[in-house]
Amino acid sequence: MKNTPNAKNKSKTQTIQRFVFVEVPIEYVGPQVALWGEAAWWPKNCLWKYIKETEGEVKVGTRYRIKIQKPSAADWVAEVTQFVPNRLIEYTFKAGMFRGYQVIKLEERANGTRVDFELHFRVSGLLNAFLWPFVYQKQYEETIMQVLNALKDNLPQQYQQEQDKHPEGQ
């Protein structure tokens, strides 16, 4: 980073990337990913609680407050800033401990769907920046893998149950 008067006040942008493969068609995975923190597959014991602040279906402009379910933990506000059904949902952070965005991309494969999660961010606040490398980063990375694994593990069961309820041609 350049040594400019404002350089010491700006933290470096970081990226976290993870992916899972879900053995379910993209047409089923897409709507489930759009629900993200509101979905039935979302882990019950997840560290993050998504609280929808806007009404209606998920679309550009939908806002969420994401709370960490621990006493006196940080939270943040995210708004859907891009939404391409069955392909991409992007959330831009509007307030709280993060600045930047996260994007979830879906890619159709022959035997299912690849789901990529990317977080592009800077940590806001002196205490948050101090705690990030020691506490928050590990918690965040463990939580995103918990979420992605819940998606991977639960969607095939959900999909099969729906297929059993509505067999083709009946």
Side-chain angles (χ1 to χ4, degrees):
M1 187 180 299
K2 287 183 179 178
N3 190 9
T4 61
N6 292 330
K8 65 182 178 184
N9 296 329
K10 294 190 177 190
S11 61
K12 182 179 165 189
T13 298
Q14 301 177 56
T15 301
I16 295 174
Q17 296 176 301
R18 301 289 183 270
F19 78 92
V20 292
F21 184 79
V22 183
E23 293 182 11
V24 175
I26 196 168
E27 296 80 18
Y28 187 81
V29 176
Q32 295 295 319
V33 167
L35 292 173
W36 204 238
E38 302 176 86
W41 57 264
W42 192 261
K44 302 294 182 235
N45 60 343
C46 187
L47 185 62
W48 303 329
K49 179 175 175 122
Y50 273 65
I51 302 162
K52 195 172 186 184
E53 295 186 334
T54 54
E55 298 291 324
E57 293 183 15
V58 176
K59 61 185 182 297
V60 171
T62 301
R63 288 177 72 101
Y64 294 92
R65 176 168 300 281
I66 299 94
K67 297 185 81 52
I68 297 176
Q69 305 218 61
K70 288 192 172 194
S72 70
D75 64 352
W76 60 97
V77 174
E79 182 176 310
V80 175
T81 48
Q82 277 192 55
F83 182 60
V84 180
N86 297 339
R87 295 289 175 213
L88 177 138
I89 187 164
E90 178 184 279
Y91 302 85
T92 298
F93 304 121
K94 298 296 185 177
M97 75 177 282
F98 292 123
R99 296 290 178 257
Y101 66 98
Q102 75 181 26
V103 62
I104 302 138
K105 299 175 188 173
L106 287 75
E107 183 180 324
E108 188 170 19
R109 298 288 175 95
N111 57 342
T113 306
R114 179 180 164 128
V115 179
D116 286 275
F117 173 89
E118 297 175 9
L119 174 69
H120 303 268
F121 69 103
R122 287 188 334 266
V123 177
S124 295
L126 193 56
L127 182 59
N128 293 332
F130 175 76
L131 290 174
W132 178 257
F134 302 109
V135 179
Y136 291 156
Q137 182 173 2
K138 181 179 181 198
Q139 286 178 347
Y140 193 96
E141 290 180 8
E142 287 173 353
T143 302
I144 195 54
M145 286 313 302
Q146 177 192 25
V147 168
L148 291 173
N149 285 327
L151 176 74
K152 178 184 78 172
D153 296 341
N154 293 317
L155 281 194
Q157 294 169 1
Q158 272 183 230
Y159 178 72
Q160 189 58 53
Q161 288 171 352
E162 287 193 22
Q163 293 302 301
D164 291 346
K165 285 181 191 175
H166 308 287
E168 285 187 50
Q170 292 188 13

